Amino acid sequence: MQTLLINIKQLLQVRDTSINKVSGVEMTDLPLIENAYLLIENDSILDYGSMSDVPNLEGKDVIDCTGKIVLPSFCDSHTHIVYAGNRSGEFVDRINGLSYEEIANRGGGILNSAKKLNETSEEEIYEQSKKRLEEVISQGTGAVEIKSGYGLTVEGELKMLRVIKRLKEKYPIAIKSTFLGAHAFPIEFKENHQAYIDIIINEMLPKIAQENLADYIDAFLETGYFSVEETIKIMEAGKKYGLTPKIHVNQFTAIGGIKACVDHGALSVDHLELVTEDDIDALKNSNCMPVALPSCSYFISIPYTPARLLLNAGLPLALASDFNPGTTPSGNMHFVVATACIKMKITPEEAINAATINGAYAMDLSDTHGSITRGKKANFILTKPLHSYYEIPYCFATNLIDSVWLEGKKFGTQI
């Protein structure tokens, strides 16, 4: 059966020729078709065009989209949505004036989540995590990366990655899995970093590879966490098992981490709330995608990624949610797009490009996701009636979604 959406007010992110990403000034262009149709067959986009060329309606499931906009599903390339419990108490601590570092020094932060995760069964973690995944799908996400990193033990990390694998097998959404054993040093290794790194390299990685549990490897490259030299060891070890680096870097300090990531073949560098000229020079002429996480900046009141600096240098930019229990307890990519426009001063066109085609690139999914292109997955958002796609960031707290489609089916009909 073919499904035909007709009278679409605006069909966004239409790319006749599949592209990997857009950079610099290219990000100001969001190709669209006014008064359009979209034809899908099985799980893929078969055709699209102007209503003046609409195919014969006979034998097709026809959906009238008068006044509504269609855009490709969001591609969220940085999340931590597999975790146990929450850290709402730390939310109040921040309101009362404690910093991220002060909370961590009191045993909060990542170590708090690690304690909860290791005390929680794999089945319970799965049940909690699937609700979060269903929530982000309902908010328009059609591809997502999920990290481990709240285990910080061999069994804890494997438990998280097995939950991610179960989600991948159960849900009709593209999921990429990232091993983040190097998220923080457990208390017992605070004075002996090398011993914990040895566990990551010699115990965790072989078992993860044996069970084929991860696509990428990550580390929190930051002052007080993993140094440049330590992160290089972890990146190199992961690459021996076929895991491409995707690295947390420059959230609080700039210590040469971005150049190290680029030099060691990182697919993306994520956070970048602080960016230097040396960082920009390192990213130029590379294949590495800078990823901004504006809802993290919003939630913990830290600077926003200087998007204009990156774009004016001709670089690409992706947007992701950073959904996690401590610093961004939300995976709402609509809010991410709106916040990027409001606080980072990027245009709606740049923000939608960053959250779709460039997000897909940051997960190696450019061939199948991120744009309205013949042959790509039929993953898209159908909005409620809107005057213009400008309303997507403008109405930052309004649910504008009529329905979400994954692999050619309206979400909720295939679970």
Side-chain angles (χ1 to χ4, degrees):
M1 170 68 75
Q2 294 180 343
T3 301
L4 179 63
L5 286 77
I6 62 172
N7 300 320
I8 301 168
K9 183 179 179 69
Q10 292 176 317
L11 181 62
L12 305 183
Q13 191 61 287
V14 178
R15 306 275 179 178
D16 289 335
T17 302
S18 184
I19 60 170
N20 289 331
K21 61 183 178 180
V22 284
S23 306
V25 70
E26 296 171 335
M27 292 188 66
T28 63
D29 180 32
L30 183 66
L32 60 85
I33 301 174
E34 304 272 4
N35 191 26
Y37 73 86
L38 176 66
L39 180 62
I40 58 180
E41 184 173 47
N42 300 323
D43 65 349
S44 300
I45 296 170
L46 185 62
D47 201 6
Y48 49 79
S50 169
M51 279 300 294
S52 60
D53 301 315
V54 68
N56 191 307
L57 307 186
E58 190 175 342
K60 299 176 179 65
D61 182 15
V62 178
I63 299 172
D64 187 353
C65 304
T66 298
K68 301 174 183 179
I69 291 172
V70 169
L71 68 155
S73 296
F74 298 124
C75 297
D76 188 353
S77 67
H78 183 128
T79 82
H80 306 253
I81 65 177
V82 169
Y83 59 85
N86 65 53
R87 303 210 311 255
S88 57
E90 295 175 13
F91 169 66
V92 178
D93 288 339
R94 274 193 300 276
I95 292 171
N96 288 325
L98 291 184
S99 69
Y100 183 94
E101 292 80 4
E102 287 169 331
I103 291 169
N105 290 337
R106 296 195 333 171
I110 295 164
L111 297 182
N112 184 358
S113 286
K115 183 176 185 295
K116 290 177 181 175
L117 184 122
N118 283 297
E119 293 171 349
T120 306
S121 71
E122 182 174 321
E123 187 62 34
E124 177 57 25
I125 295 165
Y126 173 78
E127 289 298 320
Q128 292 182 28
S129 300
K130 78 174 189 179
K131 292 176 184 176
R132 299 181 199 112
L133 182 64
E134 290 173 6
E135 177 183 83
V136 301
I137 293 171
S138 72
Q139 293 168 339
T141 292
V144 65
E145 180 254 24
I146 308 175
K147 302 177 189 294
S148 68
Y150 294 128
L152 307 185
T153 63
V154 176
E155 281 310 310
E157 290 296 307
L158 289 172
K159 183 162 59 173
M160 291 188 73
L161 291 166
R162 288 172 184 145
V163 167
I164 297 169
K165 186 176 183 179
R166 285 180 66 185
L167 294 171
K168 187 184 300 190
E169 292 168 351
K170 170 71 174 176
Y171 288 86
I173 177 175
I175 296 176
K176 289 296 185 87
S177 176
T178 298
F179 168 51
L180 179 54
H183 202 186
F185 287 98
I187 292 172
E188 60 268 33
F189 295 103
K190 210 67 177 173
E191 305 302 324
N192 190 357
H193 287 191
Q194 188 57 50
Y196 181 61
I197 291 170
D198 287 343
I199 291 172
I200 291 173
I201 293 173
N202 300 323
E203 296 185 44
M204 295 183 185
L205 273 170
K207 291 182 179 180
I208 289 164
Q210 185 178 5
E211 295 187 40
N212 192 28
L213 292 174
D215 302 294
Y216 305 112
I217 191 162
D218 195 351
F220 189 10
L221 198 174
E222 183 55 71
T223 300
Y225 290 84
F226 288 80
S227 70
V228 173
E229 294 73 20
E230 290 166 343
T231 302
I232 288 171
K233 287 180 185 177
I234 290 159
M235 287 192 288
E236 288 301 304
K239 285 160 64 176
K240 290 177 182 176
Y241 290 96
L243 305 183
T244 300
K246 281 171 60 69
I247 305 295
H248 287 64
V249 63
N250 283 45
Q251 184 173 6
F252 302 111
T253 58
I255 54 176
I258 288 179
K259 184 177 189 307
C261 294
V262 170
D263 289 347
H264 289 82
L267 175 62
S268 72
V269 284
D270 301 23
H271 272 291
L272 279 61
E273 285 87 349
L274 184 64
V275 178
T276 69
E277 287 298 328
D278 287 344
D279 295 328
I280 288 174
D281 289 341
L283 287 165
K284 286 180 178 178
N285 302 313
S286 79
N287 295 316
C288 185
M289 176 64 70
V291 179
L293 310 170
S295 48
C296 175
S297 297
Y298 170 86
F299 191 72
I300 62 172
S301 300
I302 61 175
Y304 289 85
T305 303
R308 291 259 60 93
L309 192 65
L310 297 168
L311 297 177
N312 291 345
L315 295 172
L317 180 70
L319 290 172
S321 74
D322 195 22
F323 192 172
N324 76 78
T327 62
T328 323
S330 168
N332 190 330
M333 285 293 289
H334 172 212
F335 180 76
V336 170
V337 166
T339 304
C341 293
I342 296 163
K343 295 296 187 181
M344 292 164 53
K345 302 301 181 186
I346 64 176
T347 66
E349 293 82 2
E350 291 168 331
I352 293 171
N353 275 320
T356 56
I357 191 69
N358 283 1
Y361 177 91
M363 293 183 279
D364 284 316
L365 289 172
S366 299
D367 290 343
T368 53
H369 294 73
S371 67
I372 302 297
T373 300
R374 294 175 185 89
K376 283 195 174 186
K377 292 290 185 184
N379 285 18
F380 57 88
I381 300 164
L382 176 62
T383 74
K384 297 172 182 176
L386 300 176
H387 292 96
S388 160
Y389 66 84
Y390 287 173
E391 290 181 66
I392 295 172
Y394 172 73
C395 300
F396 71 96
T398 303
N399 179 11
L400 303 177
I401 294 176
D402 175 291
S403 57
V404 171
W405 293 67
L406 291 182
E407 299 192 343
K409 295 180 181 179
K410 190 181 294 187
F411 178 66
T413 64
Q414 67 275 70
I415 298 290

